[in-house]
Amino acid sequence: MDILLLPAALFPAIPLMMISFGNRYTTLATLIRKIHDELMGKKLTKRDKETNRYLKQINVLRQRLTLNRATSTLSAIAFIFNLVAMYFAFTEHYKIFGAVFMASLIMFGFSISLYIIELQLATKALDTHLQDLEEL
């Protein structure tokens, strides 16, 4: 396989991951809005037992939102660098091509790593819900 074709091979993978990150963001936004409406509707105070559970969820959701933003941003930058690498391959600037393509791979790797961390937090949040159910 010609090394100059590598950016073209990576080209469809990055947008597919970006769609996945976007879907996770939409789910997070819906969940945050739901919790917000519940808390505002119940008019809970910090002294209520139920409030502690919500505060734990809010902390995890904030972390997940931050990771999702970083993941999406890194993916977008990786996609741009991939496009630039394809340009340099096309114009036969091979040294620049190599450096830009490597940067694209590194950013995409970081993006996937953050995605894994965010998945772990999502699992932790779901486990909190299961613990609440076990206490019933």
Side-chain angles (χ1 to χ4, degrees), residues 17 20-21 24 60 63-64 66-72 74-75 107-125:
M17 288 299 292
S20 173
F21 302 151
R24 291 188 73 79
V60 171
Q63 290 174 347
R64 289 181 61 197
T66 300
L67 286 170
N68 189 278
R69 180 179 55 221
T71 301
S72 298
L74 283 171
S75 292
M107 284 185 209
F108 194 52
F110 280 140
S111 177
I112 292 172
S113 298
L114 291 176
Y115 177 68
I116 292 168
I117 293 169
E118 196 268 334
L119 283 174
Q120 300 305 313
L121 284 173
T123 304
K124 179 181 171 185

Side-chain angles (χ1 to χ4, degrees), residues 30-63:
T30 302
L31 185 58
I32 289 168
R33 287 184 180 101
K34 179 182 174 216
I35 290 173
H36 176 270
D37 292 345
E38 283 180 23
L39 281 174
M40 293 299 136
K42 290 181 179 181
K43 300 193 189 290
L44 296 174
T45 65
K46 289 193 176 186
R47 285 181 250 132
D48 295 323
K49 182 182 175 186
E50 194 175 359
T51 304
N52 189 36
R53 182 179 59 122
Y54 279 114
L55 291 175
K56 286 179 185 177
Q57 288 178 2
I58 290 168
N59 184 40
V60 171
L61 288 171
R62 189 177 309 263
Q63 290 174 347

